[in-house]
Amino acid sequence: MSPVEPRAPLHPAVAATRVAVRRALSGAGSPLVSDGAAGSGVEPRVLVALSGGADSLALAAALAFEAPRAGWVAGAVIVDHGLQPESERIAAQAAAQATALGLAPAVVRRVSVVAEDDGPEAAARDARYAALAAVAEELGAALTLTAHTRDDQAEQVLLGIARGSGARSLAGIPPTRGIISRPFLDVSRQQTEDACAAQELTPWQDPHNADPRYTRVRVRSRILPLLEAELGPGVAAALARTAAQLREDADAFETMVAEQIEEIVEPAEAGIAVSVAALQANPAALRHRLIRRVAEAEFGSELSREHTLGIAALVTDWRGQGPIFVPGIRVTRVGGRVVMTRQLGSPRASDPRP
């Protein structure tokens, strides 16, 4: 009997990408869903959002390997934003790579990106997620994977710090949202590039990823390397850990707000009233969240920190001051209640400081 040839060890980056996908599929629940027939089931479908770049190509390869072993049928969605001169060819090439990996179907979906107040990046993102949701519904997919990496998470946290955002924003990119799952938030961008090289996959180099006109590109190419050089390696991983910890805190606060909100709010003429005593009884972090939740839920208004502090002063620093105006809302203290009423048109939001 001839000796069995030992298998070559799996490249560490390939192993890391496969383990991440395996965990995502396992965490998504049972691999079988009912097809309506008694005693039978069908394999659920999982899709990968594939641009052809190193991150998504490494994700597609890992999914192609792991999905059949976990009882899933895997396909791909390629969103053509039409923002590159040869976007149609690039999308077709990504679809061909998906097919070569064994992913089927490989759906190419062209979208129209209309930049509005939030800029072209936000418009492209909104169009992309709308396309992913539409294709998932059409194919009956239970899960869609996107290739956001640990480096993307670090960039998101830095951008949140620069904007002076709160814990929810600093919590970064969520690992899951609806049917969207992001297995690579603990995988580095370098690992995805190494995984592609080890599997002889040729990723597409998006020129937008090197364009310094985009804030995220400047963070990626200048700020993070500077932090790594000055503070030592591991900054991106540390920022990603910070995001995970803040996400736990934000989730806990949201649960506490949900438990209290019905008890402290009551209808008022043309608006809503919140108990001063209940707000006073809470620490500032929870009190501010309660105020913002009421403003958003009842009036669709997203309050800045300054507006939130102005309303909170009616609770903690009451000196008989008159009403204040925040976007779309008139806020005044009446006895033991803070009363919010809708403002149609004018007056404009005023400086909320007491």
Side-chain angles (χ1 to χ4, degrees):
M1 179 181 296
S2 59
V4 177
E5 290 290 331
R7 286 195 294 179
L10 189 63
H11 191 285
V14 177
T17 60
R18 290 181 180 179
V19 167
V21 169
R22 191 180 311 150
R23 288 173 176 165
L25 296 179
S26 174
S30 171
L32 290 181
V33 295
S34 172
D35 66 355
S40 65
V42 295
E43 293 176 316
R45 185 177 299 279
V46 55
L47 302 174
V48 58
L50 178 60
S51 68
D55 299 342
S56 65
L57 191 55
L59 179 60
L63 180 63
F65 181 85
E66 293 291 339
R69 290 164 175 79
W72 292 75
V73 174
V77 186
I78 300 90
V79 179
D80 178 4
H81 299 86
L83 299 176
Q84 303 286 352
E86 298 185 354
S87 65
E88 188 174 351
R89 179 189 62 79
I90 294 166
Q93 180 177 317
Q97 288 176 309
T99 301
L101 288 168
L103 300 173
V107 178
V108 176
R109 184 60 52 90
R110 178 87 176 215
V111 298
S112 176
V113 177
V114 180
E116 296 181 349
D117 294 341
D118 292 336
E121 288 179 284
R125 182 179 61 248
D126 292 344
R128 179 167 59 255
Y129 277 105
L132 293 177
V135 175
E137 183 175 2
E138 291 165 13
L139 297 179
L143 194 64
T144 299
L145 308 186
T146 68
H148 295 88
T149 66
R150 186 173 66 197
D151 300 79
D152 293 313
Q153 186 72 290
E155 293 160 13
Q156 187 73 13
V157 174
L158 284 176
L159 289 169
I161 292 172
R163 290 191 295 263
S165 302
R168 175 52 69 190
S169 180
L170 296 183
I173 306 166
T176 60
R177 177 173 289 165
I179 69 166
I180 298 291
S181 176
R182 303 178 175 96
F184 279 4
L185 288 181
D186 288 323
V187 175
S188 71
R189 186 172 293 126
Q190 185 62 57
Q191 284 176 301
T192 67
E193 293 172 357
D194 292 346
C196 286
Q199 297 171 97
E200 299 182 348
L201 300 171
T202 303
W204 170 59
Q205 303 297 331
D206 185 350
H208 283 175
N209 289 335
D211 189 340
R213 291 178 299 174
Y214 295 101
T215 304
R216 185 177 292 276
V217 172
R218 297 195 297 273
V219 171
R220 177 179 306 166
S221 62
R222 300 174 186 175
I223 307 303
L224 269 174
L226 177 62
L227 290 175
E228 295 273 353
E230 296 296 329
L231 302 179
V235 170
L239 288 169
R241 288 196 301 271
T242 298
Q245 293 165 4
L246 287 171
R247 190 177 308 111
E248 292 173 354
D249 292 346
D251 289 345
F253 273 121
E254 287 187 2
T255 299
M256 296 168 71
V257 167
E259 290 173 348
Q260 288 198 39
I261 199 76
E262 296 297 331
E263 299 177 3
I264 70 171
V265 174
E266 61 183 84
E269 185 176 354
I272 204 82
V274 188
S275 164
V276 168
L279 290 173
Q280 284 177 328
N282 283 295
L286 189 53
R287 178 164 56 246
H288 297 162
R289 282 170 169 81
L290 287 164
I291 290 170
R292 287 195 294 270
R293 175 68 67 83
V294 171
E296 182 177 8
E298 298 296 331
F299 303 97
S301 179
E302 294 187 9
L303 301 183
S304 68
R305 178 165 176 79
E306 289 73 20
H307 291 136
T308 304
L309 292 176
I311 296 173
L314 297 177
V315 176
T316 61
D317 192 24
W318 173 244
R319 302 187 307 275
Q321 60 265 41
I324 62 173
F325 298 92
V326 299
I329 313 172
R330 177 182 186 272
V331 190
T332 189
R333 176 160 169 171
V334 181
R337 305 186 305 168
V338 171
V339 179
M340 301 183 182
T341 54
R342 185 179 303 279
Q343 291 295 300
L344 300 177
S346 59
R348 295 177 298 171
S350 67
D351 185 342
R353 290 173 295 181

